[in-house]
Amino acid sequence: AAGVIQSPRHLIKEKRETATLKCYPIPRHDTVYWYQQGPGQDPQFLISFYEKMQSDKGSIPDRFSAQQFSDYHSELNMSSLELGDSALYFCASSLTRGTGELFFGEGSRLTVL
Amino acid sequence: SQQGEEDPQALSIQEGENATMNCSYKTSINNLQWYRQNSGRGLVHLILIRSNEREKHSGRLRVTLDTSKKSSSLLITASRAADTASYFCATGSHNTDKLIFGTGTRLQVFP
């Protein structure tokens, strides 16, 4: 069965650089979520999209932005990277809106040097 | 954590033993979910319990929910070495899409 696809799986950037993460949700899933997980931490909600519109926002820094495109894939753009941005970034999708089961991708590991 | 605490933070047991993990949360919820995460991998959904349910079973998993105490427990019976992972509870609330995760329990099952 198709799963959530994230790319790249690993990314190394310097401070103040920009990074873009991509997410391809499971077909027919209408809601996409982005989470950030620091080392040894729980996943922190960043932002979500329902039918290509932002539906909820969490602790996402102003330096980050995200969008969902007409083909339902989503991108998380991170600018002016800081050391503290080093983390695993997960994308998840759900079949129905409203906190049903989330299907997570394998994550993109960002390292900022 | 944005939502609450899980305890214990770490748990080590032998294969065949039962593992119990607890989760507390702070806000009103409409469901509570448990997820499993192998080191550095994505989270995998295990079970969902709605706020009007008190107990739910799925294979070797048993989840309870006490909304008056804002707490839940996950019991894994007859544990296996392959159950070694981190386990997170996550809560969903009305009028929001996001799940809020707890701090997680690292479970180690020794053969």
Side-chain angles (χ1 to χ4, degrees), chain B residues 10 13 17-18 20 23 30-31 33 38 41 43-44 48 51 57 61 65 82-83 89 91 99-100 105 109-110:
Chain B
I13 58 175
E17 293 181 336
N18 295 341
T20 299
C23 164
N30 67 1
N31 71 68
Q33 304 178 36
N38 287 80
R41 304 292 300 275
L43 292 96
V44 176
L48 180 154
S51 59
H57 298 255
L61 306 180
L65 178 64
D83 294 329
C89 68
T91 54
L99 285 183
I100 301 178
T105 294
V109 182
F110 292 99

Side-chain angles (χ1 to χ4, degrees), chain B residues 19-62:
Chain B
T20 299
M21 289 159 267
N22 303 296
C23 164
S24 62
Y25 57 91
K26 298 173 183 173
T27 61
S28 174
I29 65 170
N30 67 1
N31 71 68
L32 185 143
Q33 304 178 36
W34 285 88
Y35 286 80
R36 167 198 166 117
Q37 184 181 35
N38 287 80
S39 180
R41 304 292 300 275
L43 292 96
V44 176
H45 180 268
L46 295 176
I47 195 166
L48 180 154
I49 186 166
R50 303 198 184 283
S51 59
N52 60 355
E53 297 175 312
R54 291 296 166 259
E55 188 171 313
K56 203 161 184 181
H57 298 255
S58 177
R60 294 183 296 115
L61 306 180
R62 173 180 171 256

Side-chain angles (χ1 to χ4, degrees), chain A residues 29-56:
Chain A
H29 282 200
D30 59 15
T31 309
V32 168
Y33 310 78
W34 285 97
Y35 282 84
Q36 176 193 58
Q37 186 179 32
Q41 303 295 311
D42 52 290
Q44 297 285 310
F45 173 75
L46 294 178
I47 196 166
S48 62
F49 294 88
Y50 169 70
E51 286 290 343
K52 295 161 279 185
M53 298 290 289
Q54 181 183 308
S55 58
D56 210 340

Side-chain angles (χ1 to χ4, degrees), chain A residues 21-84:
Chain A
L21 306 180
K22 294 186 178 182
C23 168
Y24 296 84
I26 294 172
R28 296 192 304 281
H29 282 200
D30 59 15
T31 309
V32 168
Y33 310 78
W34 285 97
Y35 282 84
Q36 176 193 58
Q37 186 179 32
Q41 303 295 311
D42 52 290
Q44 297 285 310
F45 173 75
L46 294 178
I47 196 166
S48 62
F49 294 88
Y50 169 70
E51 286 290 343
K52 295 161 279 185
M53 298 290 289
Q54 181 183 308
S55 58
D56 210 340
K57 197 170 183 180
S59 50
I60 183 169
D62 291 341
R63 300 176 290 108
F64 292 10
S65 64
Q67 56 183 322
Q68 188 177 26
F69 295 86
S70 58
D71 65 351
Y72 290 89
H73 95 273
S74 178
E75 294 184 4
L76 178 66
N77 300 293
M78 299 174 285
S79 62
S80 302
L81 287 169
E82 302 173 356
L83 296 178

